[in-house]
Amino acid sequence: MAYITNKIFMTDSDMLRDKKTPYKIVLPKNPTAAEKFAAEELAHFFFQATGVKLAAAKDSSVTFDVAAHYFSVGNTSLYEKLHSNLRQDEFDDVVELVSKGNMIFFNGSGQGCVFAVYEFLKIMFDYRYFAKDEYRLASKSVLKVPVLDIRIKPDIARRSLGYYDTERDYEYIMRLRLGNSLYSGWIEACHTYFRILPKEKYYAEHPDWYSPDGSNLCLSNPEMKQEFIRRVEEIIESKDGCYFMLGQEDNFDFCGCEKCKKKIAEYGVASGLVMEFTNEVAAAVGEWLKKNHPERRVRFVAFAYNMTFAPPVRYNASTNCYEPIKKDVVAAPNVSVMIVPYNAVYSTDYLNDKNKHIREAFYGWQAISKHLQIWSYCTIYENYMLPFNNFGAVGKNYRILADMGVEFLYDAASYASRVPQFEELRQFVQAELMWDTTRSTEDLIDEFMNAYYGEAAPEMRYVLSLQRARWQLLEGAYQKYMYSFDAFNELMDRRYWSLAYVNALEDAFALAFESVKTSPRRELLENRIEKEYAAVRYLRLSLYPETIADLEAEKKKFAEDRKKFGLLTLKEGADGALALE
């Protein structure tokens, strides 16, 4: 996180006294969704902290007066008269929190006005958000008017986490200061070729527009390209957003027609043809936008994924740099490249020799595009119930990406279900690190544990340390590295999760439950501990059922608790309950 400006001090003037405040919230005449939400959050937390409800004033009824008491949220008429020099850019989440006399302005680019509210709450009420049902907010009966000149640029401009709730819950997403789900801000995202040219509509009459096996488009077909461009323009007119993914289908196939094979041979890798195609589409649609929608800025995104992961570059030993194979593979100014480090070892950083192929791909793509995005992973897709050991590397990896200038980061997780793998902790830590990559992962873990688990924080920290130590053993003794994709049957083996390990986890959880017995928040804390304990019960049910006195009763109880905690599936794409049968 970079503070562009950071000036704060308190005046002697009252903002709040005797349960009264003269301040009113002002929104633009036609506020955006982010502006409305920012105003709602300001009013909600101000009331929670003071017991005072903030009134609203219409934008049309206010005048710019340094003596007036206004909370101006977003691009109001007051903000226009402030003459801020902030450049608003839909591709960034820059925060602007400034004052002029008594007036306080919450604005920024992207979702910045919302994050300006949270920055204000931090200054005035020591606000800190940890999870849906856990935040810190100091009560105040007296407040002074602050002088503020704060502008903040998060280390990674656009941030998104692919957990169940961070894909679906807008309030939660915003309070974590992510600001985005995978799909927010996107006209189209992910694998879009067949959404743009659906096979059910085009294939019968134009089979040559598709690869011979029908698994992808034929990018060397000029007729297909023209209809593809027309459809992209049609989609842009029907949807809001600033990013448009031009992404191949989710497989390891590519068009094998003679023209495509010739092009791929020319570039050396399939990504060369993808970049040529993406640049041509972006150029054509870009010209169309200038003529028909000059107010819109759209960035087109190519997918460096599976068959197109390797960049179209050559290594120049004399300069120690990668260079584009040809000029036409260099991304146009309105083109980004989203890189998917599919086979990374996530227990270590991207620059480690275990991730040499990832490191070289990153360096290569930097020679192709000034605008890079990352789709990384932070769960085991074949088994959501097993711990993902990335805590030792995630902070460094985010710093590497920030240093690369990555503009958008989506860290894909257990999107299909809530999971008992400290997911609330993970979401907090990862969101904080995306915002400020200089933060210490271990400090963030400690801060969260103390807030979220209360009296059980030491015991739950110990549970996490047991999990992390176990993965270190698996890597050292069995060369089982922390991949996001691994065969289910390979991992579910007694060699890896010994009975002694399961017993040690159960002992640690017993201590955690014991530690909260006298807590005033006992029921809440027990519920949080019980959710994480489900992962240990799963290991015993799956690997050591003979040690369970009443196996059928435990299976029934586990099924009930799955519903209680929202454990909808235990692996991607299937009902993981089958694993217990």
Side-chain angles (χ1 to χ4, degrees):
M1 174 189 66
Y3 276 103
I4 303 169
T5 58
N6 185 24
K7 177 182 176 183
I8 309 167
F9 67 87
M10 297 297 169
T11 69
D12 293 328
S13 300
D14 288 339
M15 175 181 285
L16 172 76
R17 186 175 290 277
D18 299 326
K19 290 286 185 178
K20 294 179 182 179
T21 181
Y23 275 84
K24 295 179 179 180
I25 296 176
V26 182
L27 274 169
K29 182 179 179 182
N30 297 303
T32 65
E35 289 169 340
K36 285 192 286 187
F37 184 75
E40 290 167 0
E41 290 287 85
L42 177 58
H44 170 77
F45 284 111
F46 194 93
F47 177 75
Q48 291 292 316
T50 67
V52 175
K53 291 184 178 180
L54 291 171
K58 288 185 177 181
D59 195 26
S60 58
S61 67
V62 299
T63 56
F64 191 93
D65 181 351
V66 294
H69 296 86
Y70 293 130
F71 291 139
S72 170
V73 179
N75 289 317
T76 63
S77 61
L78 297 174
Y79 182 77
E80 290 177 6
K81 293 172 183 174
L82 181 66
H83 301 301
S84 168
N85 60 2
L86 178 72
R87 177 177 173 268
Q88 295 197 356
D89 188 335
E90 57 267 52
F91 300 111
D92 285 327
D93 275 340
V94 175
V95 177
E96 183 177 37
L97 176 62
V98 298
S99 61
K100 189 73 172 179
N102 289 325
M103 293 186 293
I104 298 176
F105 296 85
F106 306 81
N107 212 346
S109 59
Q111 314 283 342
C113 61
V114 181
F115 306 137
V117 167
Y118 298 144
E119 189 70 14
F120 175 79
L121 295 173
K122 182 179 78 173
I123 294 166
M124 305 302 290
F125 303 109
D126 191 30
Y127 168 80
R128 185 70 161 145
Y129 187 79
F130 298 100
K132 285 186 177 185
D133 52 357
E134 190 67 54
Y135 62 85
R136 183 178 70 227
L137 188 75
S139 297
K140 294 289 182 75
S141 58
V142 176
L143 290 174
K144 296 298 182 180
V145 176
V147 173
L148 303 167
D149 185 9
I150 300 171
R151 291 174 180 83
I152 304 169
K153 184 176 175 61
D155 284 345
I156 296 174
R158 300 290 292 267
R159 306 156 309 285
S160 181
L161 285 172
Y163 294 92
Y164 184 85
D165 289 301
T166 54
E167 290 278 20
R168 294 165 175 81
D169 190 329
Y170 179 75
E171 179 182 272
Y172 186 47
I173 292 166
M174 298 305 286
R175 289 179 178 179
L176 285 173
R177 295 188 302 180
L178 292 168
N180 304 274
S181 68
L182 173 60
Y183 298 99
S184 59
W186 289 79
I187 302 166
E188 290 287 349
C190 302
H191 310 286
T192 62
Y193 279 3
F194 287 1
R195 268 182 266 152
I196 296 167
L197 295 181
K199 288 181 72 175
E200 57 269 23
K201 179 177 180 180
Y202 292 99
Y203 187 80
E205 292 187 19
H206 304 284
D208 58 323
W209 289 9
Y210 299 84
S211 59
D213 63 0
S215 64
N216 254 304
L217 293 178
C218 174
L219 302 189
S220 63
N221 189 300
E223 289 183 358
M224 181 281 293
K225 189 184 303 177
Q226 290 308 307
E227 179 62 11
F228 190 95
I229 290 168
R230 188 195 70 79
R231 281 283 294 133
V232 169
E233 294 169 354
E234 185 177 79
I235 293 168
I236 288 173
E237 287 199 311
S238 67
K239 294 184 178 183
D240 294 328
C242 58
Y243 289 116
F244 198 129
M245 172 67 82
L246 307 180
Q248 68 267 32
E249 294 306 298
D250 191 8
N251 52 55
F252 284 87
D253 300 317
F254 208 78
C255 183
C257 79
E258 291 305 315
K259 286 186 178 180
C260 284
K261 285 197 292 186
K262 184 178 179 181
K263 278 284 187 182
I264 293 170
E266 179 183 334
Y267 291 119
V269 287
S271 61
L273 178 53
V274 165
M275 290 308 300
E276 176 190 291
F277 176 80
T278 304
N279 281 335
E280 289 175 357
V281 172
V285 180
E287 287 301 313
W288 171 83
L289 280 168
K290 287 179 184 178
K291 293 177 183 177
N292 296 278
H293 301 282
E295 77 288 353
R296 288 196 69 172
R297 294 178 65 213
V298 176
R299 193 166 289 165
F300 300 94
V301 185
F303 227 165
Y305 177 64
N306 290 351
M307 288 293 289
T308 61
F309 176 71
V313 295
R314 64 169 64 90
Y315 178 71
N316 187 328
S318 64
T319 62
N320 194 29
C321 292
Y322 287 94
E323 299 172 348
I325 291 290
K326 293 177 65 177
K327 289 183 179 180
D328 55 7
V329 302
V330 176
N334 61 340
V335 171
S336 296
V337 175
M338 179 176 276
I339 310 168
V340 184
Y342 180 81
N343 286 320
V345 176
Y346 282 100
S347 55
T348 190
D349 65 84
Y350 291 133
L351 302 185
N352 187 282
D353 282 346
K354 287 189 179 74
N355 287 320
K356 182 180 178 182
H357 61 300
I358 305 295
R359 180 180 69 210
E360 291 179 351
F362 282 176
Y363 291 157
W365 281 111
Q366 284 182 285
I368 296 297
S369 180
K370 293 180 180 179
H371 303 295
L372 295 178
Q373 304 183 6
I374 299 292
W375 178 314
S376 56
Y377 298 99
C378 54
T379 195
I380 302 173
Y381 282 93
E382 290 297 326
N383 196 325
Y384 287 161
M385 303 295 282
L386 295 178
F388 193 78
N389 186 36
N390 67 338
F391 282 115
V394 64
K396 187 170 183 180
N397 278 340
Y398 287 177
R399 284 192 290 277
I400 290 167
L401 299 182
D403 290 343
M404 286 169 54
V406 165
E407 65 184 17
F408 179 88
L409 170 59
Y410 174 65
D411 214 343
S414 46
Y415 64 89
S417 176
R418 296 188 178 100
V419 295
Q421 287 304 335
F422 288 107
E423 65 177 346
E424 292 84 5
L425 166 67
R426 292 178 183 277
Q427 291 160 20
F428 169 78
V429 170
Q430 289 173 251
E432 288 292 308
L433 290 171
M434 286 182 181
W435 185 272
D436 182 355
T437 60
T438 67
R439 295 295 307 272
S440 160
T441 300
E442 301 304 320
D443 288 350
L444 289 170
I445 291 173
D446 287 339
E447 182 187 9
F448 181 91
M449 289 283 188
N450 290 328
Y452 194 72
Y453 292 110
E455 293 89 339
E459 290 75 18
M460 296 305 286
R461 190 64 153 101
Y462 179 60
V463 169
L464 180 63
S465 71
L466 287 174
Q467 293 178 345
R468 294 170 70 177
R470 192 67 189 178
W471 266 110
Q472 288 179 344
L473 174 67
L474 296 188
E475 291 196 4
Y478 299 103
Q479 288 73 55
K480 296 299 297 182
Y481 296 108
M482 193 70 266
Y483 297 110
S484 54
F485 296 88
D486 207 338
F488 178 84
N489 290 331
E490 284 290 316
L491 283 173
M492 289 307 292
D493 189 298
R494 290 187 179 199
R495 290 175 298 168
Y496 307 141
W497 317 105
S498 68
L499 183 58
Y501 170 70
V502 174
N503 288 338
L505 284 174
E506 289 191 339
D507 290 345
F509 272 103
L511 292 172
F513 283 117
E514 182 67 27
S515 69
V516 300
K517 278 187 175 179
T518 59
S519 171
R521 299 197 300 164
R522 175 177 177 175
E523 183 178 355
L524 174 67
L525 296 178
E526 283 183 341
N527 201 54
R528 292 172 177 175
I529 296 166
E530 190 178 355
K531 178 191 173 187
E532 299 307 318
Y533 184 48
V536 184
R537 293 167 61 197
Y538 171 79
L539 282 177
R540 187 173 289 278
L541 278 164
S542 300
L543 297 177
Y544 302 100
E546 73 278 5
T547 66
I548 300 172
D550 191 337
L551 181 59
E552 292 308 312
E554 173 60 1
K555 282 185 177 182
K556 182 179 179 182
K557 180 67 166 59
F558 185 78
E560 291 170 355
D561 287 346
R562 278 185 60 193
K563 294 178 182 178
K564 175 182 176 181
F565 296 115
L567 313 182
L568 305 178
T569 179
L570 307 186
K571 60 186 290 190
E572 184 183 37
D575 184 357
L578 296 174
L580 299 179
E581 296 174 358

